Amino acid sequence: VDPKAQIWKLESAGEGKYIIRSADTPEYVLTVSGTADGTADGKTPSSDGNVFLSKYDSKDTQLWIIEEK
């Protein structure tokens, strides 16, 4: 496993939202499929709530809010 591929960088997108970028290939970001909360029933890559890597294209599904609990 490439250790650098396991490193992520948080980039502020303003208004308390962040873009989570790959440190190895910064044009790729974490993206969520759909806008619903994911469940354990999601059985396909396109099930709402599943997270995948894609090129950044300014979509809301690529913005993350990080909360402290």
Side-chain angles (χ1 to χ4, degrees):
V1 175
D2 180 2
K4 193 171 182 184
Q6 305 300 314
I7 299 172
W8 301 92
K9 294 187 176 188
L10 298 178
E11 176 184 315
S12 176
E15 299 180 11
K17 297 177 183 177
Y18 293 87
I19 301 162
I20 304 175
R21 291 191 182 272
S22 165
D24 189 41
T25 49
E27 66 270 20
Y28 284 92
V29 301
L30 291 185
T31 304
V32 67
S33 180
T35 57
D37 290 339
T39 68
D41 295 335
K43 300 200 185 317
T44 68
S46 61
S47 295
D48 278 354
N50 284 350
V51 176
F52 60 96
L53 199 60
S54 68
K55 283 192 173 183
Y56 182 68
D57 58 7
S58 303
K59 292 184 180 175
D60 286 344
T61 54
Q62 296 174 322
L63 298 177
W64 298 85
I65 297 172
I66 299 171
E67 299 177 345
E68 187 174 333
K69 296 248 177 178

